[in-house]
Amino acid sequence: MSLKTNRAVEAIAVQTCEKAFPEEGCGLLLGPIPDNFDTPGRTLQVDEARPLPNGWDASAKTNRYLIDPKILAQVEAELSGTGRGVVGFFHSHPQVPAWPSPFDLTMAMPCCSYWIIQIRDGKSVDSRSWQRTEDGRSFIEEEIVLEG
Amino acid sequence: MSIDIRLPTALRIFADKQEKISVDAKTVGDALEQLFSGHERLRQQLMSPEGKLRSFVNVYVNDDDARDKQGLATEVKDGDTILIVPAIAGGSAVSELELTTAEKARYHRHLIMPEVGAEGQRKLKNASVLCVGAGGLGSPLALYLAAAGVGRIGIVDFDTVDESNLQRQIIHDTASVGTSKLKSAEKRLKGLNPNISVELHETKLSSANAVELFKRYDVIADGTDNFATRYLVNDACVLTGKPNAYGSIFRFEGQLSVFGLKDGPCYRCLYPEPPPPGLVPNCAEAGVLGVLPGVIGTMQAVETLKLILGIGRPLSGRLMLYDALEQSWRTLKVKKNPACPVCSENPTIKAPIDYEAFCGLKEKPTVTIPEISVQDLKAMLDKKDKFVLLDVREPHEYEIAKIEGSTLIPLGALPERFGELDKGAALIVHCKMGGRSARAVQFLREKGFNATNVAGGINAWSESIDPSVPQY
C-alpha cells in the first residue's frame, strides 16, 4: 500500500501547508484512477497537488479544514472522461502530529489517500499518508514513495 | 424522466467504475434508491445503517444543494443532473490507529504474548510518552519505547551533545557532538523505528510550560538530573493526573519508582523537602558509572510499558534502590502522605511554584567573596606574583587535569587541613567550575585567610588559557 508521487507535487503540498500556518492548509491530490482503487494494498499514483482555500469558518481554521464541494465538483467535471480523478486529499496539522483525528475519520471517504503534513512553527516536520480501513473504523498508514 | 447521477472518483469503484449512471425517477430519493438497488456497495458507503445519508455526502441537483430544497424528497425532472459530492473536511487531534502489516511483523514477539497481543500493541501505538531529558536516563528509555512501538514520544531538552555525555548517553553519537540533543535523539529514534512520531520540545521545562506540555501525553518519564526540575515534574504530574515513571542515578546507585498514580504516593510524599543546596552533588561533580543510567532508564521503560498496557503491578508505593557495586536491589515501601502539599485531598500547591527558590538555589551567599578570572590568574602566574594556588577538587580529578604548581586539598578535607596553609600568603582557590572553591574561599576567609576564588575553575582555564588541559 503506497502513495507514489514526485518531489514537485510534494513541494506544492508542503508549501501550501507552510503558507497556511498557523491555519490548516488543504488541497486535492489528482492522478490516474487505479483499477483496484478499493483494494487494500493498492498503489496510488499522484501526479498533481492542487491547493485549495480552507473553507472552514475563520473561528476554527487552526484545527479544521473544509474543501468547498462546489470546487470539488468543478474539478471532477474537468477531469471527467480523462481516466484521471481526485484520488486523495492533503491537509496539514499545525503543531500536532500527522496522525488522523477522530474527525478526520468521521469525514473520511473510502479508497482515497489522506496525506497529512505536520507543520511545526511554520515548517513541515513530518508527512504521513493514510487510507481509511474498509469497515470505516480506523485509518491505516501507507508509505509515501517519492520518485524524481 | 432520464436523470443523470454523477459519482465522484472515490465512489465509482463501487458502481462498476461508471462516472455517470442514468436512472428514471421523480425525486432525489427515488433516484438514489435506483442507483443503490443496482450497486449495494454504494449504498453501504453512502447511507448509514439507519437509512440516512452519511455525514460526508452532499447531494446537488444541478447546482443546488438538495438540503436547501426538500432533501431526498426534492423533485427532479427530465435532463436534471444529480451530483454526489463528498464533503471533504477534517482536522487535527489524534485518533485510534490500527497496526499495519509491516508493524505486525516488526512487533511479532509482542503479538505472540497474550499479555500484550495485538490489542496491547495497538495501545502502545496509540500511546504517548514525554521523556523529560535526553541524557543518561532518557537515552535507553526513549530507545526502548521507540523500539516497543510507543506511537508518540516527546522529548524535552535544550542542551547540545557534549563529548563527556557519550560515556553513557547512548542515544547520541560522536558525530553529533556540538549539535542539538533533540535532533540527535530524533535521528536515532526514527532510524530505529520510522513508524513512530517523535515530538521535540527544545526548551527548559519550567513552571510556565510544564502543565500544558504534560497534558498532551499519557505518561511522563522523569530523567532529570536536578532537584528543582524533579519537584516540578512531580507537581505537574499530580496536577495533570499523569503517572510519573521516575528514575535517578548517583555514582553507583540508582532509584526507581512510579509516582502520581491514583491512591499512590508522589515524590513529595517520599521527600517532602529537597536537600540543602550543594549537599548532594550532581553527576557532573560526583561522576556516574556509565552503564548505571542504562540499568535505571531501562527499568523506567519497563514501568512505562506496563502502565500503558495495564499489565502487572506498577512500581507505585515502592521505591527500588539499586547498588551496582553490591549488585543488589532493595525495595522500600513508600506511603502516601495524607498531608502532602500537592497530592493529598486538601493540597496547598494548586499550580507549579518557583522550584529554584524551593530548592534554595536563589539564596545569595551571605558574604560576597573576592573573585578573579582565569585571565587574571594567567597574568599573575606570568608576572611570577607570590601566591599559593589551592585546588580543592578530589584527588582523582587532580589526576585528570591540573594547573601546574597548584596545591591539592579537597574541599571536604579543608576543615582538618587548613592549618597546613600559610596565613600570610595570598591564596588563589580553584575547583572544576568555581562552585566548590567559592565555598572553600568563604570558609578560609572566616578562618582569617586572604583567599580569592577563580571564576569558572579549571574548565574555564582549559577553555580560555590552556586547551591542553583536558575538560571533564
Side-chain angles (χ1 to χ4, degrees):
Chain A
M1 189 162 74
S2 60
L3 173 86
K4 281 192 178 169
T5 186
N6 59 56
R7 295 194 188 281
V9 168
E10 187 201 29
I12 288 171
V14 166
Q15 281 161 17
T16 304
C17 295
E18 287 182 343
K19 232 174 110 184
F21 185 86
E23 295 181 353
E24 293 197 5
C26 60
L28 309 178
L29 300 174
L30 312 183
I33 306 164
D35 281 340
N36 61 346
F37 202 15
D38 59 337
T39 314
R42 95 278 182 280
T43 297
L44 206 62
Q45 197 82 43
V46 169
D47 56 26
E48 184 184 345
R50 196 172 289 189
L52 292 179
N54 181 351
W56 202 277
D57 66 77
S59 63
K61 280 187 189 186
T62 54
N63 64 350
R64 287 283 180 266
Y65 79 97
L66 174 71
I67 288 172
D68 183 344
K70 287 207 165 152
I71 300 180
L72 180 58
Q74 276 168 20
V75 178
E76 291 276 20
E78 170 198 325
L79 299 174
S80 168
T82 63
R84 292 171 76 235
V86 180
V87 293
F89 308 92
F90 71 88
H91 75 280
S92 58
H93 281 181
Q95 303 298 26
V96 303
W99 295 31
S101 65
F103 188 60
D104 284 328
L105 186 62
T106 315
M107 302 303 287
M109 294 281 291
C111 310
C112 294
S113 283
Y114 281 82
W115 187 354
I116 306 180
I117 297 164
Q118 181 188 3
I119 306 292
R120 193 193 290 143
D121 303 329
K123 282 279 160 216
S124 147
V125 290
D126 195 13
S127 160
R128 289 164 189 270
S129 186
W130 308 84
Q131 194 190 345
R132 203 194 75 178
T133 52
E134 235 174 329
D135 61 10
R137 285 181 54 236
S138 62
F139 276 100
I140 196 149
E141 189 173 359
E142 62 181 357
E143 192 185 1
I144 300 172
V145 182
L146 292 175
E147 299 167 324
Chain B
M1 291 279 228
S2 179
I3 312 293
D4 284 345
I5 303 178
R6 299 191 80 97
L7 295 173
T9 312
L11 295 177
R12 289 175 207 158
I13 194 90
F14 304 111
D16 305 325
K17 300 179 185 167
Q18 296 175 88
E19 194 179 313
K20 186 179 78 178
I21 291 156
S22 296
V23 295
D24 194 4
K26 289 198 173 63
T27 64
V28 170
D30 276 356
L32 292 181
E33 188 48 45
Q34 281 189 42
L35 172 70
F36 296 153
S37 63
H39 307 283
E40 274 303 318
R41 287 177 71 203
L42 205 51
R43 184 196 302 275
Q44 289 161 25
Q45 293 296 339
L46 293 177
M47 306 293 278
S48 68
E50 299 79 42
K52 290 199 170 140
L53 279 171
R54 289 192 191 274
S55 50
F56 65 80
V57 182
N58 290 323
V59 177
Y60 286 79
V61 178
N62 302 324
D63 281 338
D64 301 316
D65 193 331
R67 281 195 209 99
D68 298 338
K69 305 180 112 185
Q70 287 87 44
L72 293 177
T74 306
E75 288 186 12
V76 285
K77 57 181 193 303
D78 198 28
D80 277 351
T81 299
I82 295 177
L83 288 169
I84 295 177
V85 187
I88 302 300
S92 45
V94 176
S95 73
E96 284 278 306
L97 294 155
E98 299 295 326
L99 300 174
T100 63
T101 312
E103 285 174 316
K104 284 177 185 161
R106 176 182 281 259
Y107 305 126
H108 172 262
R109 303 296 194 277
H110 271 165
L111 300 185
I112 58 175
M113 292 194 292
E115 293 84 351
V116 183
E119 189 59 38
Q121 194 64 51
R122 238 191 331 268
K123 281 187 194 167
L124 293 176
K125 177 167 178 152
N126 289 291
S128 56
V129 177
L130 180 69
C131 301
V132 184
L137 293 169
S139 287
L141 173 64
L143 281 168
Y144 271 113
L145 296 180
V150 171
R152 281 174 53 218
I153 299 176
I155 312 176
V156 51
D157 205 311
F158 62 102
D159 221 348
T160 53
V161 181
D162 185 84
E163 197 150 15
S164 69
N165 297 151
L166 300 177
Q167 164 252 22
R168 64 201 178 283
Q169 301 183 9
I170 56 171
I171 204 167
H172 311 298
D173 58 27
T174 308
S176 303
V177 169
T179 67
S180 143
K181 276 194 175 177
L182 288 186
K183 293 279 157 55
S184 160
E186 179 184 40
K187 196 170 144 227
R188 187 70 201 287
L189 294 175
K190 294 294 277 263
L192 177 59
N193 190 348
N195 302 297
I196 61 159
S197 169
V198 182
E199 298 175 7
L200 308 179
H201 307 286
E202 194 142 37
T203 176
K204 186 168 164 37
L205 192 72
S206 72
S207 299
N209 62 25
V211 166
E212 278 312 305
L213 193 56
F214 286 16
K215 276 184 189 168
R216 291 165 55 182
Y217 293 90
D218 301 325
V219 180
I220 313 299
D222 179 6
T224 52
D225 60 356
N226 65 81
F227 287 97
T229 315
R230 200 166 289 154
Y231 279 95
L232 166 62
V233 169
N234 178 72
D235 292 0
C237 278
V238 174
L239 292 167
T240 53
K242 307 289 179 176
N244 172 9
Y246 155 82
S248 74
I249 46 173
F250 179 69
R251 291 170 51 81
F252 297 95
E253 289 161 34
Q255 292 191 355
L256 188 75
S257 193
V258 171
F259 295 119
L261 287 195
K262 202 175 172 295
D263 303 326
C266 76
Y267 185 75
R268 276 182 192 268
C269 298
L270 175 64
Y271 298 117
E273 299 235 311
L279 184 74
V280 181
N282 60 26
C283 288
E285 288 169 358
V288 62
L289 185 70
V291 69
L292 185 74
V295 176
I296 302 297
T298 305
M299 294 291 255
Q300 285 178 276
V302 170
E303 288 305 310
T304 302
L305 294 184
K306 277 163 60 187
L307 286 169
I308 296 168
L309 293 169
I311 58 173
R313 188 159 71 105
L315 193 67
S316 174
R318 291 179 289 159
L319 177 74
M320 284 189 45
L321 303 175
Y322 175 65
D323 182 335
L325 294 178
E326 284 295 318
Q327 198 58 281
S328 71
W329 289 94
R330 278 198 302 148
T331 308
L332 306 178
K333 277 188 186 159
V334 184
K335 288 216 174 98
K336 194 175 169 77
N337 174 6
C340 176
V342 65
C343 81
S344 65
E345 278 176 23
N346 300 304
T348 51
I349 296 170
K350 292 169 184 165
I353 58 171
D354 180 342
Y355 294 90
E356 304 243 311
F358 176 64
C359 293
L361 300 176
K362 281 186 172 165
E363 284 166 24
K364 294 249 159 64
T366 45
V367 286
T368 50
I369 54 166
E371 203 169 69
I372 60 166
S373 68
V374 286
Q375 286 80 7
D376 297 336
L377 175 60
K378 174 79 166 69
M380 288 167 72
L381 285 167
D382 289 348
K383 281 191 287 172
K384 299 200 167 36
D385 283 356
K386 264 190 87 74
F387 63 92
V388 174
L389 181 58
L390 178 65
D391 185 340
V392 294
R393 296 173 304 149
E394 299 299 313
H396 62 271
E397 295 180 87
Y398 193 74
E399 238 173 71
I400 301 170
K402 60 175 178 247
I403 301 174
E404 279 311 317
S406 58
T407 304
L408 178 72
I409 302 180
L411 177 64
L414 209 51
E416 287 167 22
R417 292 180 53 191
F418 70 88
E420 298 169 23
L421 297 164
D422 177 3
K423 266 218 167 127
L427 294 177
I428 305 294
V429 190
H430 85 85
C431 63
K432 183 184 175 190
M433 291 153 87
R436 280 173 288 173
S437 53
R439 294 205 288 280
V441 167
Q442 196 174 340
F443 171 82
L444 289 168
R445 293 186 81 82
E446 281 164 15
K447 298 286 174 200
F449 287 89
N450 170 20
T452 302
N453 190 31
V454 179
I458 196 165
N459 272 11
W461 179 265
S462 164
E463 187 89 31
S464 312
I465 308 294
D466 184 0
S468 76
V469 173
Q471 287 193 32
Y472 61 96

